[in-house]
Amino acid sequence: VYNGAHSGGDVAFFNHYEPMDMHWESVSAMNLDLAVVALGANDISHLSTEQFLTGIDGIIERVDPGIPILLLGGYLRGDYNTEAGRLKWAAMQEGLRERAVGQVAYFDIAPHWPVLVPDGSTSEGLMYDTPPIHPNDAGMDRMADVLTTALLVDAPPVAHRRAVRLSRGATVTRKHASACSPMWLVH
């Protein structure tokens, strides 16, 4: 897991900020199995929906071809939990859903997150800021649990595209689900 988050970072930061070239070179060198893009909480405050989605398009283009991308539909930050904020957030999320084509998927974490209000009273101890914007350690744990549950479906394992090996006569004899992942026994 590589967390490329930057406090205050937005789509423009990841697309146009010169020091981020090293970030993208590092990401490319990691041979990722999945790139998760979780942006929007900072963007809603100063970008239009169109600017945000154009920035998302730029990020999708920077991820190496063939690497699956998960666009994470986030939670609405507390200080934008107003009628206008909810409408803008819904438009941003709809734009993310529309980009879920081919190697790009969308997952909405909001149903698994408390509704946030400016004074932080409904943050359930998951947020640093008041108004609640960014998750604290407990919030990151919750986010990891939600994503792990969403990603670990009952499906055969996926070999990394650079580590596929073929052999003759291999058969899957049974599947066992351990506490952290499914395990396939192959003979």
Side-chain angles (χ1 to χ4, degrees), residues 103-124:
Q103 75 182 42
V104 180
Y106 172 85
F107 178 76
D108 186 4
I109 201 164
H112 310 278
W113 210 257
V115 173
L116 303 176
V117 296
D119 69 1
S121 61
T122 60
S123 71
E124 295 181 17

Side-chain angles (χ1 to χ4, degrees), residues 4-84:
H6 294 273
S7 180
D10 60 9
V11 293
F13 181 84
F14 285 94
N15 280 297
H16 304 294
Y17 185 56
E18 187 176 320
M20 290 309 290
D21 290 342
M22 185 180 294
H23 162 82
W24 289 111
E25 289 169 12
S26 298
V27 167
S28 183
M30 282 187 243
N31 301 320
L32 297 176
D33 293 318
L34 176 68
V36 178
V37 178
L39 291 167
N42 292 325
D43 304 89
I44 193 172
S45 69
H46 63 280
L47 295 179
S48 70
T49 299
E50 294 76 23
Q51 290 170 318
F52 170 70
L53 295 172
T54 298
I56 290 293
D57 292 339
I59 290 168
I60 290 171
E61 290 174 12
R62 293 195 80 158
V63 175
D64 289 342
I67 294 175
I69 300 169
L70 178 63
L71 299 176
L72 186 63
Y75 48 82
L76 178 61
R77 60 190 262 183
D79 55 343
Y80 278 79
N81 192 357
T82 63
E83 184 176 349

